[in-house]
Amino acid sequence: MTAQHTLAVRPVTWPMRALTAVAALHVVALLVQAVTAGLLLSMPGGRALHMASAIALLAVGLAHVVVAILVRWPGGGTAKFIAPAAALLVVTVVQAILGEAHVKAVHVPLGVMMFGGGIAQFIRVTSRR
């Protein structure tokens, strides 16, 4: 067995396990955002909950990008997870701006698309094995 062949069948590394976990957490955080959006419309304290979950979503999005980078460097894995993670983070920031500006006509559909993007990234990460 050559060194090249040994590297090709490398086992799943800790960064890849961490990426799987953080991608799942990202989907959960996106779902919590949708739930708190409903609470925003139905109860007086809903706005504070939606804002708090938005901050948590930003933190999870940042962690997602960092872990996706760690899969590549030093993990030696593929870089294909970095761009979708970064795109989700950028769209999350745009969402926060749109939400604060009360542009619901764009904020709501973009939130639905973000949830779809989070699920697509999770599927991409888990199907790697």
Side-chain angles (χ1 to χ4, degrees), residues 99-112:
E100 281 296 314
H102 302 287
V103 185
K104 293 177 191 147
V106 180
H107 183 74
V108 173
L110 189 56
V112 173

Side-chain angles (χ1 to χ4, degrees), residues 33 40 47 50-51 54 90-114:
Q33 261 307 89
L40 168 72
R47 181 174 172 78
H50 192 60
M51 190 172 289
V90 168
V91 173
T92 300
V93 171
V94 170
Q95 272 292 81
I97 293 167
L98 290 170
E100 281 296 314
H102 302 287
V103 185
K104 293 177 191 147
V106 180
H107 183 74
V108 173
L110 189 56
V112 173
M113 289 190 319
M114 283 177 63

Side-chain angles (χ1 to χ4, degrees), residues 29 33 51-62:
Q33 261 307 89
M51 190 172 289
S53 64
I55 293 167
L57 180 61
L58 279 167
V60 170
L62 183 58

Side-chain angles (χ1 to χ4, degrees), residues 18-117:
L19 183 61
T20 301
V22 79
L25 185 61
H26 206 160
V27 170
V28 169
L30 287 162
L31 182 60
V32 168
Q33 261 307 89
V35 170
T36 60
L39 294 175
L40 168 72
L41 300 173
S42 64
M43 64 183 268
R47 181 174 172 78
L49 287 172
H50 192 60
M51 190 172 289
S53 64
I55 293 167
L57 180 61
L58 279 167
V60 170
L62 183 58
H64 192 160
V65 171
V66 169
V67 174
I69 291 169
L70 288 175
V71 165
R72 178 71 181 119
W73 302 282
T78 182
K80 71 180 181 179
F81 304 118
I82 298 172
L88 279 170
L89 181 61
V90 168
V91 173
T92 300
V93 171
V94 170
Q95 272 292 81
I97 293 167
L98 290 170
E100 281 296 314
H102 302 287
V103 185
K104 293 177 191 147
V106 180
H107 183 74
V108 173
L110 189 56
V112 173
M113 289 190 319
M114 283 177 63
F115 186 71

